[in-house]
Amino acid sequence: MTGIEDTLVVHAPGDREVVLSRLFEAPAQLVFAAFTQPELLVRWYGARGWRLAECDTDLRVGGRWRFVSLGPEGARMVQAGVYRHVEPPRRLVYTELFDDQSYPGETLVSHEFSEVAGRTTVTTTLLYATAAGRDTVLRYSMARGVGQSYLRLAELLHLTTTT
């Protein structure tokens, strides 16, 4: 793939927000499933060199989720939260907190899935507890990691829609 569908767009509209957007060549129902079903999540979630070793989801409002990722040189990352809004295949909202988080408070993650002609744009808004937390995340390679993860997702969606 080349062009706009390969591009992760990142901007920070407010002092506590980061907004990520990317177009995928797949229907919203499949993209939503890839964000919520463990058997699909383990196939794409994570930057290059990282993989989901554990993926637990209780996909309902009030349900909990927990991911354990393993990375280079034995690195381990644990993140978890609670689902706040589940509206397949349009919207998914949950809290997120890392076990060894370097910034204060929970993050509210909102995914919007907008389909037009079988193509889906995922727009993710990350609302951090503080401006300092948002600024800390922007200094990390978060956009690169999400971009790499979304490339893996695009490959998975392509395989799923062409087989």
Side-chain angles (χ1 to χ4, degrees):
M1 280 190 273
T2 60
I4 188 73
E5 64 273 3
D6 288 344
T7 305
L8 175 67
V9 178
V10 180
H11 66 282
D15 67 344
R16 294 175 39 216
E17 290 177 308
V18 174
V19 178
L20 312 165
S21 184
R22 190 182 192 285
L23 178 66
F24 293 96
E25 296 287 339
Q29 188 166 342
L30 179 58
V31 180
F32 187 91
F35 272 76
T36 57
Q37 295 178 8
E39 63 274 12
L40 295 174
L41 280 160
V42 298
R43 295 176 60 190
W44 71 270
Y45 191 89
R48 190 175 300 118
W50 288 83
R51 67 177 181 81
L52 273 181
E54 297 176 34
C55 180
D56 300 312
T57 62
D58 180 7
L59 190 62
R60 61 183 175 84
V61 173
R64 298 190 170 278
W65 66 275
R66 182 175 182 268
F67 296 169
V68 178
S69 298
L70 302 178
E73 300 176 20
R76 176 182 160 102
M77 181 174 60
V78 180
Q79 62 197 113
V82 176
Y83 291 108
R84 296 273 181 91
H85 186 94
V86 179
E87 183 186 345
R90 291 182 193 80
R91 191 161 184 249
L92 181 66
V93 180
Y94 53 83
T95 60
E96 177 182 72
L97 190 63
F98 290 84
D99 276 6
D100 57 355
Q101 188 159 293
S102 60
Y103 52 90
E106 282 187 330
T107 301
L108 186 64
V109 180
S110 302
H111 298 292
E112 302 286 337
F113 303 85
S114 303
E115 181 181 340
V116 176
R119 303 169 82 200
T120 303
T121 299
V122 177
T123 302
T124 302
T125 302
L126 304 161
L127 179 62
Y128 294 91
T130 66
R134 194 267 334 240
D135 292 345
T136 297
V137 170
L138 287 175
R139 284 192 297 272
Y140 295 156
S141 56
M142 184 257 307
R144 185 183 77 224
V146 171
Q148 291 172 356
S149 191
Y150 278 8
L151 280 174
R152 292 172 60 189
L153 173 57
E155 291 169 5
L156 172 64
L157 294 169
H158 178 73
L159 289 173
T160 305
T161 57
T162 59
T163 55

